[in-house]
Amino acid sequence: MQISPKLLNKYLDGECSQEEKKQVEAWLEAEKKKAFDLSDSQAEKMEARIWGNLDPIVTDGRTSRVIPLHRQVMRYAAAAIILFAAGFFTYQSLSDNLLKSDGTEQLLALKTINTARGEKRTVTLPDGSTIRLNYETEISVPEQFEGDERVVYLAGHAYFDVARNPNKPFIIYTENSKTQVLGTSFDINTTKGGETEIIVTSGKVAFAEKDQETNLVTLQVNDRAVMNIDKIINVSEVNARKLTAWTENILIFEDQKLGEILKVVESWFDVNVTIKNPNLLNLPFTYSDHNPSLVELMDLLSLVGKFDYTIEDREVIIYN
């Protein structure tokens, strides 16, 4: 069982549904049991790291521990407890990366980078690799790559251009998958209803189920692999350049229904779309343009689909 940072934040803010709350609390209980596998010194280091990341709101003058005097501080304390449990999971999952070449321990510091709706961002890693984040994506990367692997964590949609290093594999973990390369370019998308999709534009890629590496495929240029919710991997040949055109701000739709297109429009332009006539949702469209504006796209769709629309602030309304 795994819990995303977004769900942990919802739990802390009291915004979880009953089902989500049960999921988080079950995970916490499981992680507490795992914690006993750590030595006392390891646990103390991890706890010190977690508390060290909290703002020093109030101290007792003798220790650096936060004294929970009011609700806001209690929230920090709750965050520490949850992150401490999460820290055990991270410590165990990344044990290979917590050893320096001389065998001494070191704690891996990860930083998380997010993009919002309508936002794209390029991140350059310490090894020279670049990651192009699509909208509504989150990636966690270390300040420096230590050990004999380069490990990052992805939730969302990103394009990787990995600097080649045969002696230090580059590994991307998503919720369900593990992708390993030595140096290549490829696209990973985890936003498709529980599926994970990877498209290779250069080099070779090993794509596998996260916790079962016997379920593995090797992909080459123009290969597309999709792992469904049942962990079954299907591979097909595609035009990788066309399917990764978003990295160059090219918007492409090929015989896609208006309903599917509008979901992309909402995230691409950071707008909300309301459609008055649901019969329009099944209209098919083919479209391609570089860096289009919202008005340009909606003008063309309305012309072909024979409907009217209005834009007010960040609201798009489609009429008959």
Side-chain angles (χ1 to χ4, degrees):
M1 177 188 296
Q2 295 177 20
I3 297 296
S4 68
K6 184 181 294 186
L7 184 54
L8 282 177
N9 285 332
K10 284 182 65 178
Y11 183 85
L12 288 174
D13 290 332
E15 297 174 353
C16 280
S17 65
Q18 284 299 317
E19 185 62 31
E20 289 173 329
K21 184 178 179 182
K22 289 179 182 178
Q23 187 180 359
V24 172
E25 291 175 350
W27 173 79
L28 280 171
E29 187 62 31
E31 292 304 316
K32 283 192 291 183
K33 292 178 181 178
K34 289 182 185 178
F36 292 104
D37 291 334
L38 290 181
S39 68
D40 289 343
S41 63
Q42 289 171 335
E44 287 174 3
K45 289 177 183 177
M46 183 61 70
E47 185 177 14
R49 174 185 167 197
I50 296 303
W51 282 101
N53 286 333
L54 296 179
D55 292 339
I57 301 174
V58 181
T59 65
D60 62 6
R62 296 177 306 235
T63 72
S64 60
R65 292 290 181 87
V66 176
I67 302 176
L69 297 178
H70 52 75
R71 181 173 299 179
Q72 179 63 17
V73 182
M74 284 297 290
R75 185 180 186 279
Y76 274 81
I81 293 169
I82 288 179
L83 289 174
F84 186 40
F88 283 119
F89 173 77
T90 302
Y91 193 101
Q92 291 166 337
S93 298
L94 303 180
S95 58
D96 289 343
N97 288 349
L98 294 175
L99 295 177
K100 293 182 179 178
S101 57
D102 61 3
T104 59
E105 287 185 2
Q106 64 125 25
L107 289 175
L108 183 66
L110 294 176
K111 62 178 180 181
T112 298
I113 302 165
N114 298 278
T115 54
R117 282 206 319 180
E119 179 187 12
K120 297 183 183 71
R121 184 173 178 182
T122 299
V123 178
T124 301
L125 302 184
D127 66 338
S129 299
T130 59
I131 308 173
R132 175 73 163 162
L133 305 181
N134 207 349
Y135 47 74
E136 297 179 295
T137 292
E138 177 177 286
I139 190 160
S140 296
V141 300
E143 296 288 350
Q144 293 292 331
F145 287 120
E146 303 286 351
D148 55 5
E149 293 178 341
R150 297 171 286 171
V151 178
V152 301
Y153 300 84
L154 172 71
H157 189 191
Y159 182 85
F160 293 80
D161 190 358
V162 176
R164 184 168 179 78
N165 186 342
N167 300 317
K168 200 165 188 173
F170 192 100
I171 299 173
I172 304 99
Y173 286 106
T174 70
E175 183 178 1
N176 299 317
S177 71
K178 174 183 177 181
T179 301
Q180 180 169 320
V181 302
L182 299 178
T184 184
S185 302
F186 52 95
D187 183 282
I188 300 180
N189 191 351
T190 69
T191 64
K192 298 191 172 185
E195 295 183 339
T196 300
E197 174 191 71
I198 181 167
I199 299 168
V200 181
T201 56
S202 72
K204 291 184 178 180
V205 173
F207 181 61
E209 183 181 343
K210 184 175 183 179
D211 300 318
Q212 183 57 264
E213 294 191 24
T214 56
N215 184 18
L216 178 148
V217 296
T218 300
L219 307 171
Q220 301 184 50
V221 178
N222 289 325
D223 280 344
R224 173 182 180 261
V226 177
M227 180 187 295
N228 64 24
I229 58 176
D230 296 318
K231 310 296 177 62
I232 297 171
I233 301 175
N234 293 302
V235 180
S236 59
E237 187 174 349
V238 297
N239 185 329
R241 177 84 175 183
K242 183 179 292 185
L243 294 181
T244 60
W246 68 269
T247 61
E248 300 174 16
N249 289 323
I250 298 174
L251 194 55
I252 298 178
F253 302 112
E254 290 191 341
D255 197 30
Q256 288 181 252
K257 294 179 180 180
L258 181 61
E260 299 171 349
I261 292 172
L262 294 179
K263 289 179 181 178
V264 175
V265 168
E266 287 187 316
S267 295
W268 187 286
F269 295 102
D270 187 18
V271 295
N272 298 313
V273 179
T274 301
I275 187 163
K276 298 293 188 178
N277 182 359
N279 293 326
L280 296 174
L281 292 173
N282 292 320
L283 291 177
F285 291 88
T286 295
Y287 172 88
S288 176
D289 197 7
H290 177 260
N291 205 26
S293 71
L294 176 61
V295 171
E296 289 171 340
L297 174 58
M298 291 306 303
D299 279 349
L300 182 60
L301 292 177
S302 64
L303 178 64
V304 176
K306 299 179 180 179
F307 59 77
D308 298 319
Y309 77 94
T310 61
I311 300 177
E312 185 174 344
D313 294 328
R314 309 211 68 79
E315 300 291 331
V316 178
I317 302 176
I318 295 175
Y319 304 92
N320 283 337

